[in-house]
């Protein structure tokens, strides 16, 4: 068994679980995956054994538990510096951490109105003004970073970083809810969706059978 165990929720719904899972998969770091279906009897009976906060994701090592997606990603970056999960230059790292922290703490309207649902694929969906403000801000971040780092690669900071893991669930949301995007933002969404690990996650999510009614906002 791997030294690292990542406890996650449903792949169809748990955007926070996707973030560190994607970092670990992208970096090729071995880990054991434990999936707990959210809000089921299994969840209620098991979550306290894994998570001090009662939430997922949680990364467990032989000596500690690390909860919170961004904290897990930072831990992985420190443990495996060869994975180069932040940009090399200090100013670029500061910017990458800023946009990651903004994702981590903000965009409440977007999260509420467009919950992650990998099984969902709409041709149109009404967007409220408050949600549009969040979408516009996300797109502004993507345009800024892509314009600055386009020559270095297709990700927000050229090569894949923790910032991309933080925004991957948003790319999935934009795809699920048919959010209209300008060509640069659409190209970035395509980059995320084509990542082999993201495709693996989505395929697994589509095989899940659990339904969380509160997350099925388009039904």
């Amino acid at each position: 068994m791997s030294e690292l165990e990542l406890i996650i929720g449903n792949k169809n719904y748990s955007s926070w679980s996707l973030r560190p899972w994607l970092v670990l998969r992208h970096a090729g770091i071995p880990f054991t995956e434990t999936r707990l279906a959210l809000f089921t009897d299994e969840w209620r009976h098991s979550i306290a054994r894994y998570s001090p906060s009662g939430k997922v994701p949680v990364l467990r090592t032989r000596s500690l538990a690390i909860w919170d997606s961004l904290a897990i990603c930072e831990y992985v970056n420190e443990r495996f510096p060869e994975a180069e999960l932040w940009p090399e230059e200090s100013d670029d790292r500061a910017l990458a951490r800023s946009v990651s922290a903004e994702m981590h703490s903000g965009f409440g309207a977007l999260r509420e109105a467009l919950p992650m649902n990998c099984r969902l694929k709409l041709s149109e969906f009404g967007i409220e003004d408050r949600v549009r403000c969040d979408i516009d801000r996300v797109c502004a971040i993507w345009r800024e970073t892509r314009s600055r780092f386009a020559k270095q690669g297709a990700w927000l900071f050229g090569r894949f970083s923790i910032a991309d893991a933080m925004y991957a669930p948003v790319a999935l949301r934009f795809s699920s809810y048919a959010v209209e995007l300008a060509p640069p933002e659409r190209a970035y969404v395509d980059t995320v969706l084509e990542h082999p690990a993201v495709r693996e996650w989505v395929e697994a999510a589509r095989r899940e059978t659990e339904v969380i009614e509160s997350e099925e906002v388009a039904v």
Side-chain angles (χ1 to χ4, degrees):
M1 180 176 291
S2 170
E3 175 189 356
L4 302 177
E5 179 183 15
L6 185 68
I7 296 88
I8 63 173
N10 305 61
K11 288 184 174 177
N12 191 52
Y13 301 112
S14 186
S15 59
W16 291 111
S17 296
L18 169 57
R19 292 172 168 110
W21 185 96
L22 178 55
V23 163
L24 289 163
R25 268 287 193 271
H26 176 86
I29 298 167
F31 68 99
T32 301
E33 175 187 312
T34 299
R35 175 188 172 275
L36 299 178
L38 296 168
F39 315 129
T40 60
D41 288 341
E42 176 193 31
W43 170 270
R44 287 184 283 273
H45 294 155
S46 302
I47 189 60
R49 177 159 54 94
Y50 291 109
S51 173
S53 68
K55 299 178 181 179
V56 289
V58 182
L59 183 69
R60 296 182 64 89
T61 74
R62 293 193 178 99
S63 59
L64 79 162
I66 306 131
W67 61 99
D68 181 273
S69 293
L70 194 51
I72 295 170
C73 292
E74 289 282 15
Y75 174 82
V76 172
N77 177 67
E78 292 181 4
R79 278 285 308 276
F80 303 94
E82 66 277 9
E84 299 180 323
L85 292 169
W86 287 122
E88 182 178 0
E89 297 297 326
S90 60
D91 286 358
D92 298 342
R93 283 199 306 276
L95 179 58
R97 283 190 163 108
S98 292
V99 300
S100 297
E102 184 175 354
M103 181 73 259
H104 186 269
S105 62
F107 304 104
L110 173 60
R111 299 180 201 281
E112 178 185 355
L114 279 63
M116 191 174 85
N117 187 335
C118 298
R119 294 193 294 254
L120 186 66
K121 187 65 175 178
L122 300 176
S123 59
E124 60 180 24
F125 186 75
I127 304 294
E128 301 174 11
D129 288 345
R130 66 190 183 94
V131 181
R132 177 60 61 186
C133 289
D134 279 358
I135 292 172
D136 290 346
R137 175 57 189 152
V138 168
C139 290
I141 290 170
W142 291 359
R143 284 194 304 273
E144 177 187 0
T145 54
R146 292 300 305 125
S147 65
R148 290 182 60 173
F149 299 97
K151 292 182 179 180
Q152 300 176 33
W155 297 95
L156 293 180
F157 291 84
R159 59 179 172 77
F160 181 92
S161 73
I162 289 169
D164 297 293
M166 294 301 293
Y167 283 88
V170 180
L172 288 169
R173 284 174 163 98
F174 287 179
S175 177
S176 293
Y177 294 94
V179 175
E180 294 185 9
L181 300 170
E185 292 86 80
R186 174 55 56 192
Y188 177 68
V189 167
D190 291 343
T191 294
V192 173
L193 297 182
E194 290 166 5
H195 191 295
V198 173
R199 293 172 63 181
E200 177 188 349
W201 177 279
V202 171
E203 289 168 5
R206 290 173 176 166
R207 292 193 297 269
E208 293 178 340
T209 58
E210 300 93 353
V211 175
I212 302 176
E213 296 293 345
S214 62
E215 302 299 293
E216 298 287 339
V217 300
V219 175

